[in-house]
Amino acid sequence: FMNTKKELKTFFIWLRNGTCFAVTWFLILELIVSWISGTDTISVVNLTKTIVWTLGGVLIFCVAFTRLFIRRFGFTARLTIFMLAITFYEILFFYSIGLFGDISYLHQWLLFFSIILCLYFICLVIYGSYRKKKCELYTHALQQYQQERRTINE
């Protein structure tokens, strides 16, 4: 129960912080696009869509990476679940705003999936490097501990 309570707290902290960060980022992007295109206003409908779609993306992240819903999976499995879910979610978003509407946008689809795959593999490489360093530190600490125990027992 205590672990679930901790994970629930983590889930809501990540949801709050992620939503604040991502909504701010997307609003800044919308402001930049408005300035560049010479638009003086941003509609309430667009602002609402930005907040709702962003909240959904952050929710997918929180579900994938906290241990509240998926308890036993490691990072690689969580990353894979997240990337599949967020890719599907982004496709729904792009379809809802009229991007990637039909097969004639094949080059855009290929670019989109290429970017997703590249980012996925970059994450795996970074994680592999991180895990290797942590493994070396753990092994070194274990060897030091074993040496100390041998010295004490002799």
Side-chain angles (χ1 to χ4, degrees), residues 101-113:
D102 58 30
I103 198 68
S104 67
Y105 296 101
L106 184 61
H107 65 283
Q108 289 177 328
W109 282 102
L110 291 174
L111 179 62
F112 173 72
F113 285 115

Side-chain angles (χ1 to χ4, degrees), residues 12-23:
F12 283 116
I13 288 171
W14 286 8
L15 189 64
R16 177 198 64 200
N17 293 348
T19 301
C20 290
F21 177 81
V23 166

Side-chain angles (χ1 to χ4, degrees), residues 42 46 49 56 66 78 132 143 148:
I42 299 174
N46 283 347
K49 284 181 182 179
T66 62
R78 290 174 184 281
K132 183 180 177 187
Q143 288 169 345
E148 289 172 9

Side-chain angles (χ1 to χ4, degrees), residues 92-104:
L92 289 176
F93 170 71
F94 290 145
Y95 184 77
S96 77
I97 64 171
L99 290 176
F100 303 163
D102 58 30
I103 198 68
S104 67

Side-chain angles (χ1 to χ4, degrees), residues 118-132:
C118 284
L119 292 175
Y120 176 73
F121 288 117
I122 288 170
C123 287
L124 289 178
V125 168
I126 291 169
Y127 177 65
S129 172
Y130 168 80
R131 189 175 62 180
K132 183 180 177 187

Side-chain angles (χ1 to χ4, degrees), residues 25-133:
W25 177 246
F26 283 116
L27 290 178
I28 289 170
L29 290 176
E30 284 191 35
L31 288 171
I32 290 169
V33 168
S34 294
W35 275 97
I36 290 172
S37 67
T39 306
D40 290 336
T41 60
I42 299 174
S43 74
V44 173
V45 171
N46 283 347
L47 289 175
T48 304
K49 284 181 182 179
T50 297
I51 293 169
V52 170
W53 279 101
T54 302
L55 177 64
V58 173
L59 185 63
I60 291 170
F61 176 87
C62 293
V63 166
F65 287 103
T66 62
R67 296 198 182 274
L68 191 61
F69 301 103
I70 307 169
R71 296 192 184 269
R72 298 182 188 254
F73 287 4
F75 177 78
T76 304
R78 290 174 184 281
L79 179 65
T80 302
I81 290 167
F82 170 72
M83 292 300 284
L84 290 171
I86 202 70
T87 299
F88 180 72
Y89 189 74
E90 288 174 339
I91 289 169
L92 289 176
F93 170 71
F94 290 145
Y95 184 77
S96 77
I97 64 171
L99 290 176
F100 303 163
D102 58 30
I103 198 68
S104 67
Y105 296 101
L106 184 61
H107 65 283
Q108 289 177 328
W109 282 102
L110 291 174
L111 179 62
F112 173 72
F113 285 115
S114 298
I115 290 169
I116 296 294
L117 284 173
C118 284
L119 292 175
Y120 176 73
F121 288 117
I122 288 170
C123 287
L124 289 178
V125 168
I126 291 169
Y127 177 65
S129 172
Y130 168 80
R131 189 175 62 180
K132 183 180 177 187
K133 287 179 184 177

